[in-house]
Amino acid sequence: MAMTSPVWRPFTQHALQREAILVTRGEGAWLECADGRRILDAISSWWVITHGHRHPKIVQAIKTQADRLDQVIFAGFTHEPAEALARRLVALTAPGLDHVFYSDSGSTSVEVAIKMALGFFRNRDAARARVIALEHGYHGDTIGAMSTGARSVFNAAYEPLLFDVTRIPFPYAGRERQTLDALEAACRGADAAAFVVEPLVLGAGGMLVYGADTLREMRRICAAHGVLFVADEVMTGFGRAGTLFACEQAGIVPDIACYAKGLTGGSVPLAVTMCSAEIFQAHYSTDRSRTFFHSSSFTANPIACAAALANLDIWESEDVRGRIARLAAMQEERLRRFANDARFSDARRIGTIAALDLRVADSGYLATIGPTLYEFFVSRGLLLRPLGNTIYILPPYCIEPSELDSLYSAIDEAADRFR
Ligand SMILES: *Cc1c(COP(=O)(O)O)cnc(C)c1O
């Protein structure tokens, strides 16, 4: 089927992976396929599904909104779902995130964040345009987001177009001081504008976890030097890292925050970039040249906003926090058996995410171990998509204990087979 398909799939080498699995239905933590198979969606369909596939309240909200207003230009016009969602997001996030800019994807929300930061300084006649970022970071696949993220085989071809970023070392346990010192030095640079960072866990960089104390220090250093602190919570937001937002765990408020994946419960695309009143005010002027010049066709799509509102309703009316706490505990308990297992290293967990590295000679994303493991798991009816030799479980919050057990058993078996 896929051999004749004109579809060019993402992150896919078609010469090696000709077939794609045809999915016909999603329910809770499960995907149903055209050939009758059921596959456990243990990576939440690329980290987006939070409560489970097709949560009834989200499905209903989408249907109701589609019957009223599908899409409308968002410059000069507005609609209740966007207004209500913005009010609720401002109320839900910590004081200091006062304005909401809508877009459609995590990458775009980061582009918007970078443009807001640069616009802020330009409108104040400050010559600051340098971005600071963390080693192994990932912020999306558009040019600005790629520039900010780690350089690797993923973006080698586009290197000539990527802008220069000051990169500081990842705060591995025991080496946090080096990170903070490097950040301090970078922030002293007269042109330093913004520090863009994934709070507490670097996702695509390999589920690398660091402490809330370090995050708090990073925030303090940026504030001390007038460098804008941009939290990329595209993956960590909406419970993934254990709390509604990861920044809560450090008790910090960023100047700019990006949310996407779980914003609609993962049902339809929507992203927001939230910022302080100060950043909005820097663009507020009767001088039109100070306008924030950004838009996309589907900015604040009403159906997507309605889905996000339903997601917030679910957070208010259901025990999502309890579900997350139970999932975290279940992950911790199962992960523990691999803690002193010579086949693995660095078994780690944050919130609902568990990760561990398979000890193999040939690691790294391009190593064949990643695809080999992926094929094995899929043959067992499990969707796990290792990042090189890093195996991680990032499931919808509705996953059952027995389903988690099947994942850990498969990981155990895979380690024996493929190491
Ligand atoms: C996935 C991700 C992005 C990009 O989001 P898209 O919706 O795929 O564009 C940006 N930042 C982080 C931390 C992510 O995990």
Side-chain angles (χ1 to χ4, degrees):
M1 172 225 103
M3 287 183 62
T4 53
S5 167
V7 173
W8 193 341
R9 298 192 299 275
F11 274 88
T12 300
Q13 177 43 267
H14 282 248
L16 295 172
Q17 198 189 30
R18 297 205 178 92
E19 304 266 328
I21 298 166
L22 186 58
V23 176
T24 47
R25 202 164 174 279
E27 170 119 40
W30 291 88
L31 299 171
E32 295 173 19
C33 309
D35 59 10
R37 265 186 296 173
R38 293 178 80 232
I39 295 180
L40 182 60
D41 187 359
I43 60 163
S44 300
S45 283
W46 246 343
W47 319 350
V48 301
I49 297 288
T50 48
H51 313 294
H53 288 275
R54 287 194 310 109
H55 189 292
K57 288 183 184 136
I58 295 176
V59 171
Q60 190 53 53
I62 290 172
K63 287 180 178 171
T64 306
Q65 184 55 44
D67 258 345
R68 281 184 197 145
L69 176 66
D70 47 1
Q71 161 69 9
V72 64
I73 179 173
F74 202 60
F77 290 77
T78 190
H79 51 84
E80 192 48 30
E83 294 296 331
L85 180 59
R87 283 193 302 269
R88 285 179 68 178
L89 286 172
V90 168
L92 198 61
T93 50
L97 291 172
D98 305 313
H99 293 271
V100 179
F101 193 95
Y102 287 106
S103 63
D104 329 302
S105 74
S107 305
T108 313
S109 72
V110 171
E111 300 283 346
V112 166
I114 293 170
K115 286 175 71 172
M116 276 180 181
L118 264 68
F120 172 79
F121 288 113
R122 187 189 155 97
N123 288 345
R124 294 176 146 208
D125 298 317
R128 288 187 180 221
R130 173 160 287 269
V131 172
I132 306 165
L134 208 52
E135 177 192 15
H136 305 306
Y138 176 79
H139 302 286
D141 283 340
T142 49
I143 296 291
M146 266 196 296
S147 299
T148 307
R151 303 298 158 91
S152 70
V153 63
F154 297 144
N155 43 49
Y158 327 114
E159 186 75 41
L161 282 188
L162 304 185
F163 56 76
D164 188 31
V165 174
T166 301
R167 218 166 290 281
I168 61 169
F170 180 79
Y172 289 103
R175 283 190 268 161
E176 294 89 349
R177 197 66 254 164
Q178 278 163 255
T179 301
L180 297 173
D181 288 347
L183 178 60
E184 180 106 45
C187 286
R188 281 213 183 91
D191 59 347
F195 175 50
V196 183
V197 67
E198 297 161 84
L200 300 184
V201 52
L202 274 54
M207 299 297 160
L208 301 175
V209 175
Y210 65 96
D213 290 346
T214 305
L215 181 61
R216 196 177 310 114
E217 269 303 288
M218 288 170 168
R219 208 294 164 239
R220 187 194 60 77
I221 291 167
C222 288
H225 295 277
V227 171
L228 296 177
F229 186 94
V230 180
D232 176 355
E233 291 234 28
V234 168
M235 194 269 279
T236 52
F238 296 93
R240 198 44 84 182
T243 42
L244 179 57
F245 304 118
C247 283
E248 288 172 22
Q249 293 178 44
I252 60 163
V253 185
D255 296 298
I256 303 176
C258 305
Y259 307 110
K261 290 178 171 127
L263 175 58
T264 60
S267 58
V268 288
L270 184 70
V272 293
T273 307
M274 295 182 65
C275 72
S276 65
E278 206 185 3
I279 293 170
F280 177 82
Q281 282 303 326
H283 291 84
Y284 189 89
S285 166
T286 50
D287 175 356
R288 289 164 152 246
S289 75
R290 288 170 182 253
T291 304
F292 183 56
F293 292 109
H294 192 95
S295 171
S296 57
S297 309
F298 291 103
T299 300
N301 172 263
I303 298 170
C305 290
L309 281 168
N311 173 43
L312 298 192
D313 287 342
I314 292 165
W315 273 86
E316 273 179 16
S317 62
E318 298 182 17
D319 185 23
V320 181
R321 286 174 176 83
R323 229 173 273 155
I324 287 170
R326 282 189 294 278
L327 172 55
M330 289 195 293
Q331 290 267 52
E332 183 70 31
E333 193 190 320
R334 284 158 183 76
L335 195 59
R336 217 175 285 148
R337 83 183 212 218
F338 294 126
N340 297 309
D341 188 325
R343 298 171 302 167
F344 299 99
S345 63
D346 203 12
R348 55 201 181 273
R349 185 193 59 82
I350 179 163
T352 65
I353 310 168
L356 68 179
D357 300 342
L358 189 61
R359 281 191 206 270
V360 285
D362 188 16
S363 62
Y365 187 88
L366 286 193
T368 54
I369 187 70
T372 302
L373 290 168
Y374 168 82
E375 293 295 341
F376 169 76
F377 291 129
V378 168
S379 77
R380 289 284 193 277
L382 308 170
L383 171 52
L384 286 174
R385 204 172 188 278
L387 295 155
N389 65 325
T390 298
I391 303 172
Y392 67 90
I393 303 178
L394 192 155
Y397 308 154
C398 63
I399 194 167
E400 296 288 338
S402 61
E403 293 164 349
L404 263 191
D405 284 335
S406 66
L407 292 163
Y408 281 89
S409 300
I411 291 171
D412 198 0
E413 192 186 337
D416 283 339
R417 270 195 189 216
F418 300 112
R419 227 166 49 87

